[in-house]
């Protein structure tokens, strides 16, 4: 009997990648992950245990070293792989001093992975995790997607020449995704296929203490670090639903050379997130602020609280985002509501001691 296909997942230490690895094992794939430092191997194993994988599954995970910023290791990482889930990309909580700190690893790392896929002779499809950051930024305030009724969709692209400044992280995701599509359209037809996934804000349960940037807002709210609530709207997808989409994108024939937005039920205003936390977590959410701040005040706060700066252009704007294409072509459905994604994320932060109340 032939062995199941091997899937390379880049960035196996990360919030989303750990759930993608879990789903891959649950569907019977062989899995290898590429990480930039082997020092986090114990963390990966603990997280996969937390996700409910068996000791045999965890022991069978191949872990190799490859940095997005270096050529070393990528040929070995893709060897014999049938599919690649390219998820690694820098996602820091704070804006870097120089945009290139994010753009270089995101863009060049993606190209390294694609070149290795091309040269492997075995890879059939690469799924690149892009972001809503590559879809909905830079436009004029009133822009709400090419089709306003439907909201932002796959034909929308972040506009670097638009009237609103695009922050470094958003720029890095846009340039990395663009580079991927340009690579596929290069001189020679590539011997493999590409699909990109553009998740909105990913919430849902973290599998360990190394929580990453995705849940940072909840950390700030629950720890009482946020003095008030800005008028920000968050389109949300649960990490488990997003991982499910990454797998469907890998094998659905009709997904070939397509781009999919990953958004679940919809979104929540930060004020509603705060209410959900207080209602569902009671005493554990006692530090969550209740005061909604006017936009002007948030702008002033951003002068001393840098984590707020990237969201300033978003104040007061509801983001309607469509998941129609993923439903239609991938047959994907979200299973976890926005509220559940928020509450399970918060519960995991409390469970692993990221927040002490
Ligand atoms: N979470 C969200 O809300 C969201 C939304 C849209 C798109 N995305 C995208 O989804 C992907 C995963 O996000 P996440 O939330 O899971 O982030 P995360 O937990 O911060 O994971 C990022 C991963 O990228 C790796 N990485 C960063 N720089 C690297 C480098 N130079 N070489 C090799 N690996 C490197 C990190 O490795 P280390 O552990 O060594 O740092 C980590 O494994 C990213 O591409 C992100 O842009 C996330």
């Amino acid at each position: 009997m032939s062995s199941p296909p091997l899937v390379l997942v880049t960035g196996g230490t990360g919030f989303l990648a750990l759930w993608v690895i879990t789903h891959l094992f649950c569907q019977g794939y062989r899995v290898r992950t590429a990480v930039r430092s082997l020092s986090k191997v114990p963390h990966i194993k603990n997280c996969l245990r937390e996700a409910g994988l068996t000791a045999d599954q965890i022991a069978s995970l191949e872990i190799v070293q490859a940095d997005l910023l270096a050529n070393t290791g990528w040929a070995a990482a893709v060897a014999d792989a049938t599919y690649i889930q390219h998820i690694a990309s820098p996602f820091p909580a704070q804006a870097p001093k120089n945009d290139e700190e994010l753009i270089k690893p995101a863009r060049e790392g993606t190209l390294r992975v694609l070149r290795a896929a091309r040269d492997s002779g075995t890879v059939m499809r690469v799924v690149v995790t892009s972001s809503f950051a590559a879809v909905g930024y830079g436009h004029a305030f009133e822009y709400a997607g090419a089709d306003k009724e439907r909201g932002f969709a796959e034909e929308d692209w972040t506009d670097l020449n638009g009237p609103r400044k695009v922050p470094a992280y958003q720029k890095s995701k846009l340039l990395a995704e663009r580079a991927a599509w340009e690579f596929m359209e290069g001189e020679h037809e590539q011997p493999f296929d590409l699909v990109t996934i553009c998740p909105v804000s990913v919430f849902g349960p973290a599998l360990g203490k190394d929580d990453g940037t995705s849940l940072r807002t909840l950390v700030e709210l629950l720890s009482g670090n946020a003095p008030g609530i800005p008028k920000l709207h968050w389109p949300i997808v649960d990490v488990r639903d997003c991982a499910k989409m990454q797998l469907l994108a890998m094998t659905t024939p009709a997904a070939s050379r397509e781009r999919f937005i990953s958004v679940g039920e919809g979104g929540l205003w930060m004020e509603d997130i705060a209410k959900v936390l207080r209602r569902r977590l009671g005493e554990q959410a006692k530090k969550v602020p209740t005061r909604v701040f006017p936009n002007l005040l948030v702008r002033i706060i951003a002068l001393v609280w840098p984590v707020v700066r990237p969201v300033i252009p978003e104040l007061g704007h509801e983001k309607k985002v469509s998941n129609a294409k993923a439903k239609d072509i991938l047959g994907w459905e979200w299973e976890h509501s926005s509220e559940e994604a928020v509450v399970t994320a918060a519960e995991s932060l409390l469970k692993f001691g990221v927040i002490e109340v």
Side-chain angles (χ1 to χ4, degrees):
M1 215 174 70
S2 63
S3 54
L6 175 67
V7 185
L8 169 70
V9 180
T10 68
T13 54
F15 175 50
L16 174 60
L18 283 160
W19 276 107
V20 170
I21 293 172
T22 301
H23 282 230
L24 287 166
F25 272 122
C26 291
Q27 292 193 14
Y29 290 98
R30 289 184 297 136
V31 188
R32 179 187 292 149
T33 186
V35 294
R36 71 169 139 180
S37 163
L38 293 175
S39 65
K40 288 192 180 172
V41 170
H43 166 72
I44 296 175
K45 296 197 169 180
N46 286 339
C47 289
L48 296 178
R49 216 167 287 126
E50 176 67 26
L53 294 187
T54 65
D56 284 349
Q57 285 170 320
I58 296 169
S60 74
L61 174 68
E62 293 178 44
I63 306 180
V64 297
Q65 195 169 7
D67 193 310
L68 296 173
L69 285 166
N71 290 330
T72 337
W74 289 108
V78 302
D80 298 326
T82 304
Y83 302 109
I84 299 178
Q85 293 275 353
H86 175 46
I87 301 177
S89 202
F91 186 21
Q94 298 200 1
K97 286 205 177 78
N98 180 344
D99 289 6
E100 279 303 312
E101 284 174 41
L102 303 188
I103 294 169
K104 198 170 154 64
R107 189 179 171 282
E108 292 182 8
T110 299
L111 289 172
R112 284 194 170 91
V113 169
L114 295 179
R115 278 189 221 110
R118 176 195 63 197
D119 298 342
S120 69
T122 58
V123 172
M124 289 168 56
R125 184 176 283 183
V126 181
V127 178
V128 170
T129 308
S130 179
S131 175
F132 183 74
V135 176
Y137 287 80
H139 309 282
F141 284 118
E142 57 277 9
Y143 187 79
D147 177 340
K148 205 172 175 177
E149 277 308 296
R150 184 192 47 186
F152 283 96
E154 286 76 2
E155 66 263 39
D156 291 305
W157 286 85
T158 287
D159 184 0
L160 289 183
N161 302 314
R164 292 159 75 187
K165 186 174 184 302
V166 178
Y169 168 73
Q170 282 76 359
K171 218 187 267 180
S172 77
K173 297 304 289 181
L174 172 73
L175 296 177
E177 188 184 349
R178 268 207 202 140
W181 288 117
E182 279 161 16
F183 182 87
M184 298 306 286
E185 287 154 14
E187 268 174 66
H188 306 290
E189 198 173 313
Q190 300 300 345
F192 66 92
D193 213 355
L194 176 71
V195 181
T196 61
I197 301 290
C198 301
V200 293
S201 295
V202 185
F203 288 163
L207 292 169
K209 196 177 168 96
D210 198 359
D211 59 308
T213 297
S214 201
L215 308 184
R216 213 58 233 161
T217 308
L218 299 182
V219 174
E220 302 295 349
L221 286 174
L222 287 160
S223 319
N225 293 341
I229 303 168
K231 288 180 187 163
L232 282 174
H233 185 256
W234 298 76
I236 292 170
V237 64
D238 187 285
V239 66
R240 296 160 290 184
D241 290 333
C242 189
K244 196 170 76 175
M245 187 185 288
Q246 297 262 157
L247 265 71
L248 286 168
M250 194 174 85
T251 51
T252 306
S256 170
R257 308 257 172 156
E258 297 286 352
R259 180 183 202 225
F260 296 95
I261 289 179
S262 185
V263 56
E265 180 188 26
L268 291 173
W269 286 93
M270 206 152 159
E271 184 182 2
D272 298 322
I273 293 178
K275 281 182 188 156
V276 163
L277 291 173
R278 285 197 299 273
R279 177 164 49 79
R280 295 281 299 271
L281 299 179
E283 198 42 25
Q284 291 181 301
K286 63 177 186 252
K287 294 182 185 163
V288 173
T290 51
R291 260 194 319 161
V292 178
F293 279 171
N295 295 346
L296 179 63
L297 183 56
V298 180
R299 287 174 200 280
I300 295 167
I301 291 171
L303 297 175
V304 285
W305 198 29
V307 76
V308 175
R309 282 177 205 158
V311 300
I312 291 294
E314 308 303 317
L315 290 171
H317 294 281
E318 179 167 354
K319 283 210 172 72
K320 196 170 158 191
V321 187
S322 171
N323 55 20
K325 184 175 172 185
K327 286 182 169 178
D328 184 30
I329 296 181
L330 300 175
W332 175 85
E333 277 293 343
W334 58 269
E335 282 174 33
H336 306 279
S337 67
S338 300
E339 174 166 333
E340 204 185 333
V342 167
V343 172
T344 53
E347 284 170 344
S348 69
L349 294 170
L350 291 161
K351 176 176 177 177
F352 295 114
V354 179
I355 306 157
E356 285 170 22
V357 285

